[in-house]
Amino acid sequence: MRFALSLLVLAACTGTAEESKYSEETDPTIDRDVEVDTDTDTDTDTDTDSDTDTDTDTDTDTDTDTDTDTDTDTDTDTGSLSLYDQLGGAVGVSAVVSEFIANVAADSNVNWMFADTDIVNLQMMLENQICEATGGGCTYTGGSMLDVHADMAITDAQFMFVVSDLLAALDTLGVPYTASTFDGGLPADQLIGALAAMQTDIVTDAAGDTVAFNQLGGRAAVEAVVDEFIAVVGADSRINGFFATSDLDALNGLLVEQICEATGGYCTYSGRSMCETHDGMGVSESDFDALVGDLLAALDTLGVPYALDGSAVIDPLLLALVGMEGEIVDPQVDCP
């Protein structure tokens, strides 16, 4: 009915109607009772049954199970590497040894022990020793630590100076280690541990109370005595003329070597014999006595005790000097 009413409204709005082209029965403008069966039940149940049942389950199952677990495992397990390789192999070990030797050479506490050492050969020996000890496949051809250090009268204090020089080398190169304890499992810890294990073979005068050289206070004490002795002689007009043309620095070094060797230190006197040195100098007995007196004055200044009867530590050195009188005083009765 709404559709018919709408048409009526439209017609009314458009003005006069044209001559109808409809018959009376079909003319929509004629109001008549039309039995419009609004039952739209057209029964559209066509039962098309669109279930085509194509069964698209093609079971593509894209699980290709390629198992991409390639087990790259970037954990570089150092357990399979030798300690030598963990230290950097030949390059790493050589760098540590080079820096270590440089530190020792600059360390006045121990460098004098290497005065007569072939440094190039020493470096090669140390590199081979570390290489062999850490699984690098090298062969160390040097002597045992016990044999090499047997006559050096090394003390615990001197050994620790060397260890400090090694630690300084590691610090310079940025090689990590566990400070103080050296038990952190780092490669350098094991290297330091290997060195520590050699201490009993290297140290032969641990407390410095067995060899006269160490009892005197070692190299530093001997150098202090010689420095003071030369200063006293230089101020002594009775005998300083004998040294007017002498190279005092060279003389100083030779006297240190001589005293060091004579008292059991690891030194080698490189000068001439007393006979050769004083031949033709015309040294008198009084000159010799003045020289001995100047040495005793130097000891007094430094507070070094002596007794000249063998009871004091330095007595053997003084008695040895007195025993050289026949090689120094003219005529040199003890010379060939």
Side-chain angles (χ1 to χ4, degrees):
M1 288 294 293
R2 289 181 181 177
F3 178 70
L5 290 175
S6 297
L7 289 177
L8 290 174
V9 170
L10 180 59
C13 291
T14 55
T16 58
E18 299 180 0
E19 184 179 347
S20 179
K21 57 184 177 181
Y22 298 102
S23 66
E24 185 176 333
E25 288 87 337
T26 61
D27 189 348
T29 63
I30 299 174
D31 187 12
R32 57 183 178 275
D33 290 331
V34 179
E35 181 77 20
V36 181
D37 185 1
T38 59
D39 182 6
T40 58
D41 186 11
T42 57
D43 192 8
T44 57
D45 184 13
T46 58
D47 193 17
T48 56
D49 190 7
S50 59
D51 182 10
T52 56
D53 194 18
T54 56
D55 191 6
T56 56
D57 183 11
T58 56
D59 192 16
T60 56
D61 191 6
T62 56
D63 181 11
T64 56
D65 194 18
T66 55
D67 191 5
T68 56
D69 181 10
T70 56
D71 194 18
T72 55
D73 192 8
T74 56
D75 179 12
T76 55
D77 184 6
T78 57
S80 61
L81 296 176
S82 68
L83 177 56
Y84 182 70
D85 288 329
Q86 292 178 55
L87 289 169
V91 174
V93 170
S94 179
V96 170
V97 172
S98 294
E99 189 66 27
F100 168 57
I101 289 177
N103 289 344
V104 170
D107 187 347
S108 61
N109 295 296
V110 292
N111 58 8
W112 51 271
M113 293 183 178
F114 302 90
D116 301 321
T117 302
D118 182 340
I119 299 300
V120 174
N121 184 65
L122 173 63
Q123 170 140 358
M124 180 184 70
M125 287 296 179
L126 287 174
E127 288 180 12
N128 285 339
Q129 187 178 25
I130 293 174
C131 176
E132 181 182 75
T134 57
C138 305
T139 300
Y140 170 64
T141 58
S144 69
M145 293 297 95
L146 190 61
D147 292 339
V148 169
H149 301 93
D151 299 324
M152 296 182 69
I154 294 176
T155 65
D156 278 339
Q158 291 166 342
F159 180 82
M160 292 311 300
F161 283 127
V162 172
V163 172
S164 295
D165 291 336
L166 174 59
L167 297 182
L170 296 176
D171 289 338
T172 298
L173 296 172
V175 179
Y177 58 88
T178 307
S180 302
T181 58
F182 312 115
D183 60 358
L186 297 170
D189 289 343
Q190 298 178 61
L191 176 61
I192 297 166
L195 173 61
M198 299 177 186
Q199 184 170 357
T200 54
D201 289 341
I202 294 174
V203 172
T204 54
D205 188 11
D209 56 3
T210 302
V211 177
F213 175 74
N214 291 328
Q215 292 175 327
L216 288 170
R219 179 86 175 197
V222 170
E223 288 176 344
V225 169
V226 171
D227 286 345
E228 185 63 26
F229 171 55
I230 289 179
V232 174
V233 169
D236 187 345
S237 60
R238 295 173 298 172
I239 58 175
N240 58 12
F242 287 110
F243 304 94
T245 60
S246 297
D247 181 339
L248 295 183
D249 288 338
L251 174 63
N252 187 309
L254 289 173
L255 287 174
V256 169
E257 287 180 357
Q258 190 175 27
I259 294 174
C260 175
E261 182 181 69
T263 56
Y266 189 66
C267 304
T268 301
Y269 173 61
S270 58
R272 296 176 298 169
S273 69
M274 294 298 97
C275 290
E276 292 176 299
T277 299
H278 299 92
D279 184 26
M281 290 183 64
V283 178
S284 68
E285 187 171 341
S286 61
D287 295 332
F288 182 78
D289 289 344
L291 184 73
V292 173
D294 288 345
L295 176 56
L296 297 181
L299 296 177
D300 288 339
T301 298
L302 296 173
V304 179
Y306 57 88
L308 299 178
D309 61 2
S311 61
V313 172
I314 202 169
D315 282 356
L317 174 63
L318 298 176
L319 295 173
L321 173 60
V322 171
M324 294 178 185
E325 182 175 359
E327 300 176 21
I328 297 175
V329 173
D330 189 37
Q332 298 165 290
V333 297
D334 291 337
C335 295

